[in-house]
Amino acid sequence: METPNPPRLADWLLCRLAAHRICRDVLGDLHEEFHKLEGTDLSRFRTRLWYWRQVIGTIVQYRSARGGLPDLNDSTIRHGNEGATRKMLADLLKDTRFALRGFRKSPGFALAVTVVLGIGVGAVTLMFSTLNAVVLRPLPFEQPERLVWAWGTSDQRPTNSVSALNYFDYRDQATGLESLAAFLVFTPPAVLTGGGEPERVVSNYVSPNLFSTLGITPHAGRGFVYDDERAGAENVVVLGYGLWQRRFGGSRDAIGTALIVDGDPFEIIGVMPSGFDYPGGVDLWFPARTDAFYARGRSNNNFYIVGRLRTGVPIDQAQSEVVVIARQLQEAYPEDNEGWSLTLVPLHERYFANLRPALLILMGTVGFVLLIACANVASLSMARATTRSTELSVRLALGAARGRVVRQLLTEHLLLAVGGGALGLFLASLGIRALRTLGPATLPRLDTVGIDGTVLVVTLCVTIATGFLFGVVPSLKGTNVSLAEALRTGGGKTSPGQSASKARNTLVVAQVALSLMLLISSGLLVRSFVALQGVDPGFQTEGMLLAELQLPGGRFANPEQINQGWDEVIRRVRGLPGVIGVGAIDQAPIRTGGTYNNVFAQGREPSNLAGYTPAQRRFVTEGYFGSLGMRLVAGRDFEATDRMGASRVTVINERLARQLWPNENAIGQSVVWSPVPMEVVGVVADTREFGPASPVPPMFYVPVRQSAGRTTLRMMIRTTGDPMTVAGMLRDAVWEFDENIPVSELQTMQDRIASALTQPRFRTLLVGLFAGIALVLASLGVYATLAYFVRERTYELAVRMAVGATARDVLGLVIRNGMALVAIGVALGLAGAFATARVLRGFLFDVAPTDTLTFAGVTLTMLAVAFLACLIPARRAMQVNPRQALTAE
Amino acid sequence: MGKGEFLGEFEQLVILALLRLGKDAYGMNVRRELEDTAARQVTFGTVYGTLDRLEAKGYVRSWHADPEPVRGGRARRYFEVEPEGELALARARDMMSKMWDGVELVTRRDTAR
């Protein structure tokens, strides 16, 4: 068994803070006794505790001994040096007990500060742990700082993929890159049959050096070698860890056996380690072959490129090198490569750059909450210090060392800080749990968000800064009251020093202003989200069931068999009870990404690349538009007669029609999708293809029958009633026809749209939550300040009432005082919100960042809540008994 | 006799511990002896502080043995009482005896520490 070691941190501290000879002598004994104690049945924890106590005690004893007691030769005084430590601890205990007693007497203060601290610290911890896990942690590859991503770049498309042929040239010629790997842009689903359930898995075709470029070695077996990519090489495949466990029970005997993929056998040569699924969700890797269809054509940009820089080569150097190569390729292959280059970005940036704006907003929000919390703690501490000024000055006058009093205050604030910090950690852990279940799936590595060492350090710093700093400094200022003044003016019932109350008022104003800004942001996001939800997608959303089906290769090998297969499937599905329409498409609407194809109007062939119109292409069955409830604006839908061999037809959307034939009728014209011209037989209304928030792309639809045979299609099934009730029947109907057809990704259209809104929904909820917290904190600040105001002015209020002011007058006075501060805060907040409106523009949909309705509504809410916060102390002021207050003087 | 030649209570305990331990008198054992027999919980810092002072006064001498792995490669520091130290200890005991002579404690309670 391993012998445990004494805590290294303790050793380091000892040698750092005590003389070398102490370190030398003591450490040896400590280690020896530590190991001796380990052999006894004393628990590990207690042993370490003993160790730490020894180290700290020795340090303290050493340093206090050095602190110069007057007579170094007087051994009678020095004999109990361990008493110094004990005395210090006893003092600390005494201070703690005194502090706790004080908290029990006025629990409001302690509770308020702890809660406020807890909220501030919790928010920061939550945000930082998210940042830490999602962005700051390095990518899970070998030396990730040397990895780069290569975009194919042209003027029109700065972030594009690259063709296989171009990739090979770059791979051969770029010397600044140690290796350059590529993987297919799309992750084709693969159907595994034989030896178990038919299973659909995500696969990818990769260059043989992808794994080695990323620095990941297979868990079992081998990865790919360059031999595997040549034409005519053996069919091999590498499994993902999850798939290996699921289908082969994690047995190494699986290596070398055959796996049937889409009807063909592939030899399993290796298994990747657990957790590896690059480029995302991949369970199966094939070597990309130089003779495959995806590798042909220098203009078929089917690959994304990842590379590793050679040691010592900076990315700029590699970048200039690939630019030179790109230019050479442009000259060598002008038709394909004109205007195309390669841009290298650090891999980390490629994955996380798009998160930056959202994260910045989150950080800003949390920063605001923290500032409000700090202001709250400071004003509460100041107020409390003033009320205690009598007590403190009496103690000072009676001979207590100023240092002692200061230490007392420090202990108090330390306790509050510890309490607040602990509460903050607890709240943050709740928040993290909520985040992991509710957070958007698009946030990478969400499941690794947690509180680790780094996060704890940050929490500690924030706790100390907020709780200690903002608590201690105002408190100390509060001790600067002379005894005479304190006794003369009656201590707790005095109007405090001018500067103190001015400072407190400033803090309240700041809190109100900051929380108003947060509330306005939240309001804008809410309105934006509501608008998003209300966007008409251009098709029917209710009663729509989606399902993805794939016809396995064996039985459906040629286009005719495939089309017949789909006909049969559709026929069966349409016959199900509750189904009123069925259509199919290769890529369902409401999605991200999608390939653009360059098209042009026949007869208007563009002279250069810039003249082409990029449009989204879809393959659909006849009846798709009707089932989905898409409006046919002109012309007709596809028919069964639009099949292979008949003249090529297409249906385009309004957007494309407007772009290609701006003021003409598109029906009868032809769209050229190189090199094929297709007659436009119909125009459909625009649809929100990429989700409610994104603009409508130009689209053209092609009948499935006129394609080379699509084996994977998404069914759109219109039902009466709840779509999910059809789901079970759908499976049965399909498997009756062929049990090898996987039916997957069942969802309703409404769910699909909802998940497209996950990010905005999450943002809105988060900012809303923090804005609500800020409102609570600010109200607390207003209430507390006013409460102390009343307490301090009791005498004055009593005098007023004694000379004839009514209770109502007093009420009015207090409220006016409070609302004056709130009004200033609101004014500042509005100004601030106007000034920073621009920041939110990118996140708002259909709402101006200076939307009047939002500004007005939020302001009124704030005033109302603040008014309530003023009311409570005001009413208490009304109840001041003049005779009691005056005679108490 | 100068004031500095009187031993404080703790110094006496330490010298007694060294005498009790004999050949095994090194840092760790001294501390344990004080803890076990005299029931005094002390830190290493205190023990070594006192031993250093006693050595400076010439009552005790120390030397380092060979380094040992169980100590992280550090050497044990052994102590031995010098004749002057024994003398000082005896003086302290005599002084106390003289003061105790004739004194009877009114309350005979066992004060356990």
Side-chain angles (χ1 to χ4, degrees), chain A residues 607-635:
Chain A
S607 45
N608 61 1
L609 229 77
Y612 284 89
T613 306
Q616 291 280 319
R617 177 213 70 215
R618 297 286 185 270
F619 290 106
V620 297
T621 60
E622 56 273 1
Y624 170 79
F625 301 123
S627 306
L628 204 54
M630 286 169 68
R631 207 164 48 92
L632 202 62
V633 170

Side-chain angles (χ1 to χ4, degrees), chain A residues 727-764:
Chain A
M729 296 189 281
L730 174 70
R731 276 213 171 94
D732 294 334
V734 170
W735 284 339
E736 230 177 73
F737 170 52
D738 187 332
E739 65 193 7
N740 282 325
I741 298 178
V743 178
S744 55
E745 311 229 2
L746 287 158
Q747 73 180 155
T748 63
M749 183 55 87
Q750 283 176 322
D751 286 343
R752 193 176 173 82
I753 295 184
S755 59
L757 293 175
T758 312
Q759 283 243 28
R761 183 184 304 123
F762 181 68
R763 262 198 307 270
T764 310

